[in-house]
């Protein structure tokens, strides 16, 4: 059993991360598995080295130790380029010149559901240059998997998101792509993460298949810590930042207990 903890250094560690880390490390411990630490710094605009330093320091203070040296997605560009080339050899990639604004026009409601990519550039013949997005043609397969928390799932990625963007116009590899490539190359057998990523799973299984993963990982999407009944916790909620809790005198045990009880885990474990 090999699982991973995969924070993006776009902010400080918060209670939601700690809840996820508890699920990940407890499951790995119970099954004599390994935890890999993967820094998801694929987005050059949003990630900061000082956030990585702080994340590592907080993890250390909390006592979460990985079983192998950490990997940084920002250092794995050659692997992503090779996976992209593999898709390209199958004729699955095309360039997309659509802007985010055209695809998701500004809306008056706070969280408009994002609509699937309509396939505007599918047959336009744009090459894979640096100034366009790169998309992968998704077959309309129905993906079935048995989530360890949520039970049997059926997802049709072609309808949910349409052709997936794997690289944006600024040259950043996208989360969906790099997470899929790394879960495959790192031999991750179990993906344990929050419920907010349940919808991404079908597309990651399908994309995994296209880059040569024969057997998908097992997935477990656990409950999230909520800010309120309807609002999920975000990095801007300073009240749950581990930095702030430490500064306010919280002990390690108190932080772990808070994260455990607020996400439905027994404590002590
Ligand atoms: N980097 C992602 C996050 O911070 C985790 C993605 C995953 O576990 O697949 O939410
Ligand atoms: Zn397009």
């Amino acid at each position: 059993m090999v699982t991973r903890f995969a924070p993006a250094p776009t902010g400080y560690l918060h209670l939601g991360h700690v809840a996820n880390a508890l699920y990940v490390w407890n499951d790995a411990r119970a099954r004599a598995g390994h935890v890999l630490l993967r820094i998801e710094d694929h987005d050059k605009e949003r990630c900061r080295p000082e956030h990585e330093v702080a994340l590592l320091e907080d993890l250390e203070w909390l006592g979460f130790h990985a079983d192998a040296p950490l990997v940084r997605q920002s250092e794995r560009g050659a692997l992503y380029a090779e996976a992209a080339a593999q898709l390209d050899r199958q004729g699955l990639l095309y360039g997309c010149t659509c802007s985010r604004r055209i695809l998701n026009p500004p809306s008056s409601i706070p969280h408009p559901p994002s609509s699937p990519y309509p396939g505007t550039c599918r047959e336009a013949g744009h090459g894979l240059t640096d100034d366009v997005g790169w998309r992968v043609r998704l077959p309309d397969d129905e993906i079935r998997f048995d989530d360890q928390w949520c039970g049997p799932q059926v997802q049709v990625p072609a309808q949910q998101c349409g052709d997936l963007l794997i690289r944006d116009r600024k040259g950043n590899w996208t989360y969906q792509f790099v997470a899929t490539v790394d879960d495959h190359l790192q031999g991750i057998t179990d993906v344990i993460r929050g419920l907010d990523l349940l919808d991404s799973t079908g597309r990651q299984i399908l994309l995994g298949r296209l880059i040569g993963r024969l057997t998908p990982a097992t997935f477990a999407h656990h409950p999230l810590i909520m800010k309120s009944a309807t609002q999920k916790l975000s990095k801007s909620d300073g009240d749950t930042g581990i930095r702030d809790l430490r500064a306010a005198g919280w002990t390690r045990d108190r932080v772990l207990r808070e994260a455990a009880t607020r996400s439905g885990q027994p404590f002590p474990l």
Side-chain angles (χ1 to χ4, degrees):
M1 184 267 192
V2 182
T3 185
R4 81 299 198 276
F5 180 68
T10 53
Y12 292 107
L13 202 73
H14 61 65
L15 282 179
H17 289 110
V18 180
N20 177 239
L22 284 169
Y23 277 110
V24 166
W25 263 274
N26 289 335
D27 199 26
R29 243 174 244 142
R31 297 164 57 195
H34 288 89
V35 181
L36 306 185
L37 177 58
R38 187 164 83 210
I39 303 295
E40 300 215 316
D41 57 352
H42 52 92
D43 186 327
K44 296 186 278 287
E45 273 80 41
R46 296 179 57 230
C47 297
R48 302 250 175 285
E50 57 270 30
H51 286 141
E52 182 191 304
V53 172
L55 286 175
L56 296 177
E57 220 250 316
D58 286 342
L59 285 176
E60 180 68 33
W61 181 75
L62 288 163
F64 293 113
H65 302 291
D67 297 306
L70 67 81
V71 303
R72 270 184 208 96
Q73 290 183 325
S74 59
E75 295 167 355
R76 293 166 68 82
L79 297 170
Y80 306 140
E82 173 47 35
Q86 193 182 340
L87 293 171
D88 191 31
R89 285 193 293 272
Q90 302 172 71
L92 293 172
L93 288 191
Y94 63 88
C96 168
T97 56
C98 303
S99 72
R100 196 182 282 251
R101 228 182 120 75
I102 292 176
L103 297 175
N104 291 306
S107 164
S108 53
I109 55 168
H111 297 285
S114 61
S115 41
Y117 177 66
T120 319
C121 300
R122 222 180 197 215
E123 311 305 334
H126 304 305
L128 300 176
T129 51
D130 280 345
D131 54 343
V132 300
W134 297 3
R135 286 191 189 269
V136 56
R137 283 171 213 275
L138 286 190
D140 54 11
D141 298 34
E142 188 175 85
I143 305 295
R144 292 171 181 270
F145 61 98
D146 194 7
D147 191 87
Q148 302 300 293
W149 261 94
C150 308
Q153 307 292 316
V154 184
Q155 297 181 3
V156 183
Q159 285 167 19
Q160 291 170 287
C161 58
D163 291 347
L164 263 183
L165 191 69
I166 67 159
R167 186 181 174 282
D168 70 20
R169 299 199 293 172
K170 292 177 175 159
N172 294 304
W173 299 105
T174 62
Y175 158 69
Q176 300 292 351
F177 183 60
V178 293
T180 301
V181 172
D182 284 341
D183 285 342
H184 176 39
L185 295 182
Q186 294 189 291
I188 303 297
T189 63
D190 289 74
V191 173
I192 302 164
R193 60 189 177 191
L195 206 43
D196 53 340
L197 289 165
L198 182 62
D199 280 353
S200 289
T201 304
R203 62 198 76 162
Q204 292 180 6
I205 292 174
L206 182 54
L207 193 52
R209 213 182 266 171
L210 299 176
I211 60 165
R213 179 162 192 164
L214 301 177
T215 313
T218 298
F219 291 85
H221 290 89
H222 58 72
L224 297 169
I225 287 186
M226 302 294 279
K227 184 175 184 177
S228 69
T230 53
Q231 260 185 307
K232 74 177 206 189
L233 204 63
S234 85
K235 285 166 190 164
S236 54
D237 297 323
D239 51 335
T240 64
I242 306 311
R243 290 271 119 163
D244 297 335
L245 298 178
R246 283 174 69 177
W250 284 47
T251 62
R252 167 181 181 269
D253 258 38
R254 187 171 170 206
V255 172
L256 294 177
R257 178 186 308 274
E258 181 77 9
T261 53
R262 281 178 64 181
S263 62
Q265 304 178 74
F267 193 86
L269 309 147

